[in-house]
């Protein structure tokens, strides 16, 4: 039996690797994508370009604006001289926000009236708008306590002491990069498996395979193993990049993580092979792969939280293996989670894997076309 | 270009589409399904965040702060007796944050020694943590104002921040995510529709049969583009209608601008699919390339969720290779801000340039094959 499986596996590897283009597709994009996405996929704001419309000649506004110039998040400042310049700057995305200080700013503050800082934000990306507004508020709060301390004002009676666990500086790369491991592992396994049976169906060689002494189980294993091996290699590569290149802290154990990878690959391969054995043509296989991949990624919690989804959509995500694996990979990286906190995330993936693999095996013989 | 021949080819292609309903499904059914699923599913606005509240000693001030959290739409506060219990709940992901008022909180408030309000957030999802921090600050600030007001003094902040958020005053992330989704879905549809069509002819040997007829490569290419373009535009129209009428994304720009840019983008997406098909020459390879180079770049590098303006400069250049980027920009602006022509024209020019470039490579690659 092992010999037969090994022979089929060898043949599968040859189909995947013999063509130069397929080889390239398996090797180049994951490397390029972890690099590009690792740097680009982030919710943090850097180099926010802003404009200043300062009508106040006084010292207070200059001190406040100096804080913006010194802030790491804010960068490249445009000076505005009259009202009409504001709209085009924001409309054409030259700047993300405009700070407007009225003519009485310093006078108000020194007389004990609050000085108004008006902030106009581009809400087209409302997330960026909210986050940059928070940065503005933080700068103003710092300015306020400094001003109160140096100008004999009344103390603010309470202060917020904010601590964030697992990610002290709230660097969202630490959240996204472990997610990319899941993303690329899913894409690669689907790529290897989703067209593999459909291709043979279309060429007619699958019939030949069925009349050999191999049982459907052996065919199934032979077709799955290349996906496993390639998936493991690529996942390992991306994990190495995440730790050594992007310096995402790894606080858990590799055993916990790799058990997660194993169950995740099992479910992904099962789904890929099931899609492939339902499809009669490769075009249908491709369509099936996209039909699974796109919702699986968008509704996984990779970029937008599952808790924000309506209840019905949340129920649907229980069928999505990536949902479970994302939590495992992020917890092992950042929280250092152990098996006992994660065990209830493993078995749904095993279940999905077994169910889809069984379906694929049954469809091998019984699919009419 | 001979139009009789072209018409014949287009007819053949259309029949092929009609007889394999999967293409029609891709064009019409898929965008509706995906947009329904994602339009409701994708949101970045944290609402009803479970929050553990630990008040070690009751006092009117502490109660007032807690009730501020209870009234807020953003939080679902749960009272807990000790900080240990709260930390336990956070480890088990039952709560996303902790508010901790120590036993001497009221006392410190009175003596004016800047009483600390402890806030602990789970930083694994950094973006959410930052949003929670912002909401907590809002509740805290309201409480401060009210408390000092009750004591007969006005809270004197030297500087107050007044903000106006243009284009999306209620800060609803769905308003910018849904237009972005249309761009992503259409990228996929374009690639799915056409990435196989040329490769299929090569693989089945019908390409050679076509070669011996008098049709030119340009006619073959056009006959592949026209029917799929019409099909894709149908799906596009459905998606736009859904965005406007189902998800109530305000459409401030003109319908004509929307139609023009949609056609331009659909054309670019389809030529991209065709290019994959021509370059791969086998369906297997074409399918693999399509999976790898269409979805993920459109998802991550288009500005759909991750703001391009905050990426490193080198990556910002790279995003210019992603067609979806221009369409996301056009759609977000047309929907939320209106007709902002400089932005519209620049993005459209880029799209047109990309389509031309794809067509040129298709032509070059196809010519070689004829020899």
């Amino acid at each position: 039996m092992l010999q037969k499986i090994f022979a089929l596996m060898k043949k599968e590897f040859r189909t995947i690797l013999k063509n130069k283009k397929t080889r390239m597709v398996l090797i180049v994009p994951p490397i390029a994508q972890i690099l590009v996405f690792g740097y680009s996929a982030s919710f943090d704001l850097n180099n926010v370009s802003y404009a200043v419309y300062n009508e106040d000649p006084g010292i207070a506004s200059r001190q406040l604006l100096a804080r913006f110039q010194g802030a790491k998040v804010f960068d490249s400042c445009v000076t505005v001289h009259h009202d009409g310049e504001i709209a085009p700057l924001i409309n054409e995305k030259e700047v993300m926000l405009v700070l407007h200080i009225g003519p009485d700013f310093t006078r108000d503050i020194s007389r004990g009236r609050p000085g108004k800082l008006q902030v106009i934000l581009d809400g087209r990306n409302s997330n960026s708008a909210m986050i940059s507004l928070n940065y503005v508020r933080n700068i103003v709060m710092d300015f306020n306590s400094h001003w109160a301390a140096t100008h004999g004002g009344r103390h603010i009676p309470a202060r917020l002491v904010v601590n964030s666990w697992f990610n002290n500086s709230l660097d969202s790369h630490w959240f996204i990069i472990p997610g990319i491991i899941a993303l690329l592992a899913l894409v690669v396994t689907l790529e290897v498996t989703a067209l593999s049976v459909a291709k043979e169906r279309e060429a007619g060689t699958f019939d030949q395979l069925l009349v050999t002494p191999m049982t459907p189980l052996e065919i199934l294993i032979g077709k799955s193993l290349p996906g496993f091996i390639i998936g493991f290699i690529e996942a390992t590569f991306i994990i190495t990049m995440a730790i050594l290149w992007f310096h995402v802290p790894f606080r858990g154990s590799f055993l916990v993580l790799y058990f997660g990878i194993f169950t995740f690959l099992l479910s992904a391969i099962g789904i890929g092979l099931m899609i492939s054995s339902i499809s009669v043509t490769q075009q249908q296989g491709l369509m099936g792969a996209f039909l699974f991949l796109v919702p699986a990624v968008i509704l996984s919690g990779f970029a937008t939280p599952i808790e924000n989804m309506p209840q019905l959509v949340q129920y649907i995500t229980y069928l999505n293996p990536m949902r479970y694996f994302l939590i495992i990979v992020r917890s092992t990286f950042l929280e250092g989670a152990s098996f006992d906190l994660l065990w209830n995330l493993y078995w749904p993936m095993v279940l999905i894997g077994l169910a889809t693999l069984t379906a694929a095996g049954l469809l091998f013989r019984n699919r009419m076309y | 270009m001979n139009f009789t021949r072209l018409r014949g080819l287009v007819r053949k292609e259309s029949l092929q589409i009609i007889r394999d309903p999967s293409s029609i499904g891709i064009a019409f059914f898929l965008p509706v399904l995906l947009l329904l699923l994602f339009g409701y599913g994708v949101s970045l606005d944290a609402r009803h965040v479970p929050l553990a509240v630990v008040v070690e000693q009751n006092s009117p001030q502490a109660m007032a702060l807690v009730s501020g959290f209870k009234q807020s739409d953003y939080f679902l506060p749960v009272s807990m007796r000790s900080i240990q219990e709260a930390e336990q709940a956070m480890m088990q992901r039952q709560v996303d944050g902790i508010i901790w008022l120590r036993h001497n909180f009221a006392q410190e408030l009175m003596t004016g020694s800047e009483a600390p309000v402890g806030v602990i957030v789970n930083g694994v999802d950094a973006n959410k943590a930052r949003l929670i921090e912002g909401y907590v600050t809002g509740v805290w600030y309201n409480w401060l104002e009210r408390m000092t007001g009750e004591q007969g003094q006005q809270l004197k902040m030297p500087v107050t921040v007044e903000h106006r958020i243009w284009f999306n005053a209620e800060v609803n992330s769905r308003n910018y995510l849904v237009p972005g989704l249309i761009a992503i879905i259409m990228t996929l549809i374009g690639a799915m529709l056409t990435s196989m069509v040329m490769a299929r002819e090569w693989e089945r040997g019908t390409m050679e049969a076509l070669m011996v007829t008098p049709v030119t490569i340009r006619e073959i290419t056009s006959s592949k583009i026209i029917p799929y373009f019409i099909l894709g535009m149908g799906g596009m129209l459905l998606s736009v209608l859904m965005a406007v009428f189902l998800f109530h994304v305000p459409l401030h720009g003109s319908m004509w601008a929307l139609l023009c840019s949609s056609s331009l983008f659909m054309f670019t997406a389809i030529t991209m699919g065709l290019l994959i098909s021509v370059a791969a020459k086998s369906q297997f390879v074409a399918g693999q390339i399509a999976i790898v180079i269409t979805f993920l770049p459109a998802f991550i590098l288009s500005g759909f969720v991750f703001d391009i303006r905050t990426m490193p400069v080198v990556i910002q250049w790279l995003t210019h290779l992603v067609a979806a980027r221009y369409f996301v920009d056009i759609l977000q602006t047309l929907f939320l801000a209106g007709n902002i022509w400089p932005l519209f024209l620049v993005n459209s020019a880029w799209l047109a340039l990309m389509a031309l470039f794809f067509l040129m490579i298709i032509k070059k690659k196809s010519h070689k094959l004829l020899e």
Side-chain angles (χ1 to χ4, degrees), chain A residues 22 93 124 128 170 291 307, chain B residues 30 128 130 288 307 329:
Chain A
T22 346
K93 295 195 171 175
R124 260 169 287 184
S128 296
L170 290 183
L291 206 54
E307 304 90 79
Chain B
L30 204 58
K128 196 171 161 194
R130 212 176 272 127
Q288 291 192 326
D307 205 323
D329 210 8

Side-chain angles (χ1 to χ4, degrees), chain A residues 19 21-22 25 29 33 36-37 39-46 86-87 90-93 96 105 109 112 114-128 130-131 133-135 137 140-141 143-144 147 154-167 170-172 175-176 183-184 187 191 195 199 202 282-284 286-287 289-291 293-295 297-299 302-305 307-310 316 327 331 334-335 342, chain B residues 20 22 26 30 34 37-38 40-46 87 90-93 109 114-131 133-134 137 140 143-144 147-148 153 156-168 171-173 176 188 192-193 195-196 200 203-204 279-280 283-285 287-292 294-297 299-301 305-307 309-312 315 318 329 332-333 336 340 342-343:
Chain A
N19 188 322
K21 285 174 192 151
T22 346
V25 168
Q33 286 178 333
V36 173
F37 298 165
Y39 282 112
S40 59
S42 154
F43 289 110
D44 306 335
L45 295 184
N46 300 301
I86 295 176
I90 288 198
N91 284 346
E92 286 158 37
K93 295 195 171 175
M96 208 185 274
F105 186 76
I109 294 182
K116 282 197 184 96
L117 171 69
Q118 197 182 47
V119 188
I120 301 160
L121 298 122
D122 176 4
R124 260 169 287 184
N125 184 328
S126 63
N127 195 59
S128 296
M130 281 312 276
I131 303 258
L133 181 60
N134 280 350
Y135 282 123
R137 283 197 176 125
V140 169
M141 253 197 291
F143 174 84
N144 279 347
W147 185 273
R154 190 177 171 275
H155 269 300
I156 299 160
R159 74 197 146 90
L160 282 181
V161 185
V162 183
N163 256 308
S164 54
W165 279 10
F166 311 124
N167 187 354
L170 290 183
D171 183 344
S172 72
F175 177 67
I176 300 288
L183 197 67
L184 292 182
V187 171
E191 214 184 291
L195 296 177
K199 180 181 194 292
E202 211 172 309
Q282 294 182 64
Q283 176 155 32
Q284 288 173 4
L286 177 69
M287 180 181 150
F290 270 126
L291 206 54
L293 177 69
V294 178
V297 170
I298 292 188
L299 302 176
F302 171 74
T304 62
E307 304 90 79
N308 292 359
M309 298 170 190
I316 298 174
I327 304 178
S331 308
L334 300 180
E335 296 172 21
L342 300 173
Chain B
D20 177 9
S22 71
I26 293 176
L30 204 58
L34 293 182
L37 208 55
F38 302 159
Y40 286 113
V42 174
S43 160
L44 283 166
D45 317 314
E87 284 180 349
M90 189 133 108
M91 279 307 275
Q92 287 164 350
R93 289 183 218 97
L109 268 182
E114 287 211 343
V117 176
V119 180
I120 306 169
V121 289
N122 188 337
V124 172
D125 185 343
N127 188 55
K128 196 171 161 194
R130 212 176 272 127
L131 287 176
E133 209 184 304
T137 313
W140 168 77
W143 166 79
L144 259 185
M147 195 188 62
T148 47
Q153 339 156 300
K156 278 186 201 131
M157 287 289 186
V159 178
T160 55
V161 177
E162 259 177 21
H163 66 268
R164 276 193 287 160
I165 296 180
W166 282 9
F167 314 131
N168 192 354
V171 204
N172 184 348
S173 64
Y176 83 92
L188 295 180
M192 257 191 276
L193 284 175
S195 62
M196 295 286 194
R200 194 165 53 198
E203 215 165 281
R204 292 185 182 162
Q283 291 187 74
F284 188 61
V285 180
Q288 291 192 326
I289 296 178
I291 292 175
V292 172
T294 54
F295 171 52
L296 287 187
F299 178 44
I300 292 180
L301 299 177
V305 273
F306 303 112
D307 205 323
R309 289 171 292 183
T310 67
M311 294 175 186
I315 309 272
L318 267 180
D329 210 8
Q332 284 181 351
T333 303
L336 298 174
I340 289 165
L343 215 65

Side-chain angles (χ1 to χ4, degrees), chain A residues 64-282:
Chain A
L64 178 62
L65 290 174
R67 281 178 182 264
F68 280 93
Q69 256 152 22
K72 221 180 76 196
V73 190
F74 293 98
D75 184 48
S76 71
C77 161
V78 182
T79 313
V80 173
H81 299 288
H82 59 90
D83 253 350
E85 287 174 60
I86 295 176
L89 277 176
I90 288 198
N91 284 346
E92 286 158 37
K93 295 195 171 175
E94 297 284 327
V95 298
M96 208 185 274
L97 58 100
V98 177
L99 303 171
H100 178 202
I101 297 177
D104 302 325
F105 186 76
T106 304
R107 208 180 326 152
D108 281 340
I109 294 182
S110 43
R111 286 186 187 163
R113 281 193 301 244
K116 282 197 184 96
L117 171 69
Q118 197 182 47
V119 188
I120 301 160
L121 298 122
D122 176 4
R124 260 169 287 184
N125 184 328
S126 63
N127 195 59
S128 296
M130 281 312 276
I131 303 258
S132 52
L133 181 60
N134 280 350
Y135 282 123
V136 171
R137 283 197 176 125
N138 284 342
I139 288 177
V140 169
M141 253 197 291
D142 285 348
F143 174 84
N144 279 347
S145 42
H146 183 77
W147 185 273
T150 51
H151 292 74
R154 190 177 171 275
H155 269 300
I156 299 160
R159 74 197 146 90
L160 282 181
V161 185
V162 183
N163 256 308
S164 54
W165 279 10
F166 311 124
N167 187 354
N168 223 332
S169 52
L170 290 183
D171 183 344
S172 72
H173 285 111
W174 290 11
F175 177 67
I176 300 288
I177 290 173
I180 294 178
I181 298 169
L183 197 67
L184 292 182
L186 184 66
V187 171
V188 166
T189 36
L190 273 183
E191 214 184 291
V192 176
T193 53
L195 296 177
S196 72
V197 179
K199 180 181 194 292
E200 297 213 35
R201 280 247 162 86
E202 211 172 309
T205 51
F206 200 69
D207 288 333
Q208 291 169 5
L209 201 59
L210 284 176
V211 295
T212 61
M214 288 190 84
T215 61
L217 181 70
E218 287 162 353
I219 299 178
L220 200 63
I221 299 174
K223 288 254 174 209
S224 315
L225 280 177
F228 262 114
I229 294 169
I230 293 173
F232 264 112
I233 294 174
E234 301 224 342
T236 306
F237 170 74
I238 302 164
I239 291 168
T240 317
M241 288 288 284
I243 298 173
L244 296 182
W245 182 273
F246 288 105
H247 302 293
V248 182
F250 187 82
R251 298 174 179 138
S253 91
F254 283 105
L255 192 68
V256 178
L257 179 60
Y258 270 87
F259 189 60
I261 292 177
F262 173 76
T263 50
F264 180 58
L265 288 178
L266 184 75
S267 56
I269 287 167
I271 291 169
L273 283 178
M274 189 176 78
I275 291 170
S276 194
S277 36
I278 294 173
S279 319
V280 177
T281 62
Q282 294 182 64

Side-chain angles (χ1 to χ4, degrees), chain B residues 217 275 278 357-371:
Chain B
I217 271 292
L275 176 60
V278 170
F357 181 66
F358 290 154
L359 279 177
M360 258 168 55
I361 309 183
I362 290 173
K363 196 174 164 220
K364 199 162 159 241
K365 289 252 175 198
S366 310
H367 253 301
K368 261 198 218 141
L369 307 169
L370 263 177
E371 283 153 16

